[in-house]
Amino acid sequence: MTEPMDPNDLIAEAAMELLRQYGPQTAADWGNLLAEAGHGTADDMTEFVEYVEDPLLGYLSGERYAALDTLFEHRVLTHRLTDVEISSGVLDANPDLMVLRVFLDSFEGVEDREMRVVHRGLDDDIFAERGIEDPKFPADEGFLLASDALSECSAGDLIGLFVADRELTLCTISEVLDPAPNFGDALGGILSETGAETLDAIVWQLMLEDPSLFRQPAAPLGELLDSAGYVRDGDYVAIEGFDFEAYHLANRARMLEIRDNLHADEAAAVIALVDLVSAAHLEFPEDTSGIGDWARKQITENPQIYVGIAEPPAAAAALELLSELDDHDEVLHAVATALADKGPRRVKPAAYWLAGKAADSLGKIIVAEAYYESALDRDPDWVPAIFDLALLVADRSDAARALALLGRIEGGESEILHDVLARYAPVDHPDLGRNDKCWCGSGRKYKVCHLGKAEVTFDDRANWLYVKAQLFSRTPEYFDEVFDLAEVRAQHWDDEDALTRALEGGLAVDAALFDGNIFEAFIERRGELLPADELELAQRWLEVPRSVYEVVSTVPGTSLTLSDVRTGDVHDVADEWGSLNLEAGALVCARVLPAGTTTRTFGGIEPIAAEDKDALIALIDSSDTQPWQLVEFLSARFATR
């Protein structure tokens, strides 16, 4: 059965049809058209269209939107062939054909299309199959045709791509309008205000202003631009002599100021640091040992341009941008330590923090910890270093010092880490009655659990160990995986807090930790910090598989006895929920972990139907099973409610 379309998708579809019917519109005019068509109020629809996403939606000057398929209909763009294109059936799309890529890579069933977009770096296997040996061809994107599609052509021949009904048709070209009438003058009018613009936007605007343009074959776009005296830099076109470097720098700075709410000097400092790391990456592609001395020299020439990095938001923005670069950690480590050495005094805390983040990613957690300490030696109130050091101190199970560090942050008591530390700090809790549930989360009464015990027991630290791993999984490096599994888990829950609950713990988090190998990374990256007994316990946990169990008996409010249906192993498990909600004979899925003197199911207990047992066991045993498949299987029971 076909699922009904989302109402917003239906409105978006109607919005695109109105653009096709009435031509380019401002958001306000477009919203009015939707309102007149009965889709809502003008104000609501004006806001709605600003969020419409469609591969064939273009943004023109004058803050107008256009349907690109209507704009391109019955137009043709040309390209002059080379030998490698003819032999391989791959067209280098840049710049002649690049604006047509929206008709190839934005629809379902792309793999089955006769012509599709391929990317250098992503589709190198295809280029190799087609006999392309030049690693710089195509420079960026190419159009993949049938391997023999150009076999009748010769180098220098012109081919054209003709647009009709949102499809591209390949054709040979014998005559062209050379050059296209008024092309240079029209282009000059567009660039007179901005100085530079993307080729996409330029072509869209030219076609809007001149409905006759490209109705007949003209010279290829690249040749038209060259003959008219314009220059290109990547996707951008400008007048000859234009300073692309300054232009891109200004654009990047404006984006940072808006996205991260940075001041202009902070944005400039972020760009300067990112460019320094990028330049070092290019200067030392293999042997990075010389980066430190090289970076010190570069920084000494103009140290003041990095001052804005001293502010935490700017340092965080720089780190986020650098995380998008491949293999950047070693280079960042060298550059950040150089900045700490030769940069202005104000920037040293940020530089040490950045060096610490790089060292952490490189698996040098003790070094990272020392850098965070160095950052706080220079500025005891530098918040990012305080927080990251508190996390590492918590991993050492030093709750008292970690709490003290968080106490130096305004609002630190509202952090999740603070709540965790408060549970495991070695203090008495006189506010609890003898028969109240214990503060540690064990489910037992205070009088039989922690009354009179100021020290945290190993049983408590076993629970804390699992929480440490959960906090580790929330770091940017791993959080996307946890989030994706949480979405799978919550897909059948209809309350507004469903996703939040799934992220807080239980199956999704446990699957990310163990089935997604985050717990293994946690041990590898944080093992040096863990107390020896916790590290040993963590390594034992890695050897414990998820399994299917039968409930043998329960002690309501305290524990239950589980028998592994595959091995026959019996475990007494401390679990309040299971002891109150499950009966003898029930089947469950869980990961039963040793936890000091007890056994726990930190990832929760999942009831399963008897008829699902064999399928679940097969899923658990298969080496091909992905974490999301396991979460989806165990969450399907909610769909029937």
Side-chain angles (χ1 to χ4, degrees):
M1 187 175 79
T2 303
E3 293 187 7
M5 285 188 66
D6 185 291
N8 286 338
D9 291 339
L10 290 172
I11 298 175
E13 205 172 77
M16 289 300 297
E17 288 303 319
L18 287 169
L19 273 190
R20 295 182 179 106
Q21 180 180 354
Y22 291 97
Q25 303 287 320
T26 65
D29 291 340
W30 196 10
N32 284 333
L33 288 174
L34 275 169
E36 291 169 4
H39 293 289
T41 68
D43 288 344
D44 286 345
M45 291 300 98
T46 298
E47 182 178 357
F48 175 85
V49 297
E50 294 180 358
Y51 295 95
V52 170
E53 294 184 4
D54 191 287
L56 292 173
L57 180 63
Y59 190 69
L60 305 177
S61 64
E63 299 184 348
R64 290 174 298 171
Y65 298 86
L68 296 180
D69 51 334
T70 303
L71 199 59
F72 276 90
E73 183 72 3
H74 294 151
R75 303 200 198 230
V76 60
L77 293 179
T78 63
H79 175 71
R80 200 173 301 280
L81 294 174
T82 63
D83 285 327
V84 67
E85 290 175 318
I86 294 169
S87 62
S88 66
V90 177
L91 298 175
D92 188 348
N94 188 23
D96 300 334
L97 307 172
M98 190 75 79
V99 295
L100 297 174
R101 65 189 180 277
V102 294
F103 295 98
L104 297 180
D105 62 359
S106 304
F107 302 97
E108 293 182 4
V110 168
E111 295 292 334
D112 299 328
R113 297 173 70 91
E114 294 181 1
M115 186 187 311
R116 64 186 177 91
V117 177
V118 284
H119 303 264
R120 172 54 70 184
L122 294 178
D123 298 302
D124 290 352
D125 55 335
I126 294 176
F127 300 136
E129 290 173 4
R130 293 295 183 93
I132 298 173
E133 298 179 354
D134 184 355
K136 296 183 179 179
F137 178 90
D140 185 12
E141 296 176 329
F143 289 1
L144 182 71
L145 314 176
S147 58
D148 60 351
L150 305 172
S151 59
E152 301 297 322
C153 300
S154 301
D157 285 355
L158 277 179
I159 56 95
L161 290 180
F162 179 75
V163 183
D165 296 327
R166 306 184 197 177
E167 294 287 342
L168 298 183
T169 301
L170 179 68
C171 53
T172 56
I173 303 296
S174 57
E175 291 186 53
V176 299
L177 300 175
D178 193 14
N182 304 319
F183 181 86
D185 292 341
L187 182 55
I190 293 174
L191 294 177
S192 61
E193 295 184 6
T194 61
E197 188 56 87
T198 64
L199 183 58
D200 279 352
I202 287 172
V203 173
W204 298 343
Q205 191 65 33
L206 286 174
M207 291 193 300
L208 180 66
E209 294 177 358
D210 184 357
S212 68
L213 187 63
F214 302 128
R215 297 296 183 187
Q216 299 295 324
L221 272 174
E223 294 179 15
L224 290 174
L225 292 170
D226 291 342
S227 64
Y230 293 94
V231 293
R232 290 183 292 115
D233 181 65
D235 293 337
Y236 282 81
V237 176
I239 57 176
E240 191 170 357
F242 185 78
D243 190 342
F244 277 111
E245 184 176 352
Y247 178 79
H248 293 320
L249 189 66
N251 278 343
R252 290 164 65 195
R254 281 194 294 272
M255 288 176 61
L256 284 171
E257 290 173 36
I258 295 170
R259 190 193 72 174
D260 297 299
N261 196 27
L262 302 181
H263 295 300
D265 59 333
E266 294 169 353
V270 169
I271 293 169
L273 180 61
V274 171
D275 287 348
L276 182 62
V277 173
S278 299
H281 203 289
L282 293 174
E283 189 77 15
F284 301 87
E286 296 180 0
D287 182 7
T288 59
S289 60
I291 291 179
D293 290 338
W294 177 87
R296 287 180 181 85
K297 181 179 178 181
Q298 305 299 315
I299 292 167
T300 302
E301 290 178 358
N302 188 6
Q304 294 305 311
I305 64 173
Y306 303 102
V307 169
I309 289 291
E311 297 302 322
L319 184 66
E320 182 180 350
L321 289 175
L322 288 168
S323 69
E324 299 172 2
L325 302 178
D326 293 333
D327 303 321
H328 73 284
D329 294 311
E330 195 167 350
V331 180
L332 173 59
H333 178 259
V335 170
T337 53
L339 185 61
D341 183 23
K342 294 298 183 180
R345 178 175 296 183
R346 282 186 56 204
V347 86
K348 292 183 185 295
Y352 278 120
W353 177 73
L354 288 167
K357 300 297 283 189
D360 182 1
S361 294
L362 291 168
K364 303 175 181 178
I365 195 59
I366 302 301
V367 174
E369 186 178 33
Y371 281 133
Y372 299 150
E373 297 277 15
S374 295
L376 296 182
D377 286 343
R378 273 70 180 179
D379 183 353
D381 298 321
W382 212 78
V383 171
I386 294 175
F387 187 79
D388 282 323
L389 183 59
L391 281 170
L392 302 190
V393 170
D395 284 340
R396 290 187 178 279
S397 292
D398 188 348
R401 188 187 176 207
L403 279 170
L405 285 165
L406 287 182
R408 289 155 60 175
I409 300 175
E410 183 178 354
E413 68 280 355
S414 63
E415 294 285 347
I416 294 175
L417 178 59
H418 188 281
D419 293 341
V420 170
L421 294 168
R423 290 177 60 189
Y424 300 109
V427 295
D428 285 323
H429 289 258
D431 53 311
L432 292 178
R434 292 171 55 84
N435 292 315
D436 289 340
K437 288 185 179 180
C438 189
W439 54 268
C440 73
S442 67
R444 293 174 289 176
K445 293 181 179 180
Y446 182 42
K447 66 182 179 182
V448 298
C449 190
H450 272 90
L451 180 61
K453 302 174 186 176
E455 291 301 318
V456 179
T457 67
F458 185 52
D459 288 17
D460 300 328
R461 287 193 291 113
N463 188 74
W464 190 2
L465 173 63
Y466 191 89
V467 175
K468 291 175 186 178
Q470 283 183 278
L471 291 173
F472 179 79
S473 73
R474 286 177 171 267
T475 57
E477 189 172 354
Y478 299 103
F479 183 69
D480 283 349
E481 182 175 348
V482 180
F483 186 87
D484 290 344
L485 292 179
E487 284 192 313
V488 175
R489 177 61 166 171
Q491 65 181 318
H492 302 304
W493 297 346
D494 58 4
D495 59 288
E496 61 182 17
D497 297 325
L499 185 58
T500 300
R501 287 193 291 118
L503 285 168
E504 287 175 347
L507 177 63
V509 175
D510 192 75
L513 287 174
F514 290 93
D515 304 288
N517 300 319
I518 296 177
F519 193 81
E520 185 175 359
F522 167 68
I523 295 176
E524 183 179 342
R525 298 271 292 274
R526 297 291 185 266
E528 290 182 87
L529 300 176
L530 297 174
D533 53 357
E534 289 186 29
L535 177 58
E536 180 184 0
L537 181 62
Q539 291 167 337
R540 289 173 60 194
W541 286 359
L542 280 179
E543 300 173 0
V544 179
R546 189 182 305 278
S547 192
V548 176
Y549 297 88
E550 181 180 350
V551 178
V552 177
S553 61
T554 65
V555 179
T558 303
S559 64
L560 68 166
T561 301
L562 300 178
S563 175
D564 192 321
V565 301
R566 294 184 295 177
T567 66
D569 293 341
V570 177
H571 305 274
D572 291 323
V573 179
D575 189 287
E576 181 184 11
W577 182 90
S579 72
L580 293 173
N581 291 277
L582 298 171
E583 297 179 353
L587 291 176
V588 298
C589 180
R591 190 186 307 278
V592 177
L593 299 175
T597 61
T598 64
T599 305
R600 303 290 296 272
T601 52
F602 297 114
I605 295 178
E606 294 292 313
I608 64 170
E611 60 267 24
D612 292 334
K613 181 186 71 173
D614 292 340
L616 178 57
I617 290 175
L619 197 64
I620 292 172
D621 288 344
S622 173
S623 59
D624 295 328
T625 298
Q626 299 297 311
W628 68 266
Q629 293 173 302
L630 186 66
V631 175
E632 185 175 65
F633 187 96
L634 290 170
S635 302
R637 61 190 174 96
F638 297 111
T640 59
R641 290 186 174 181

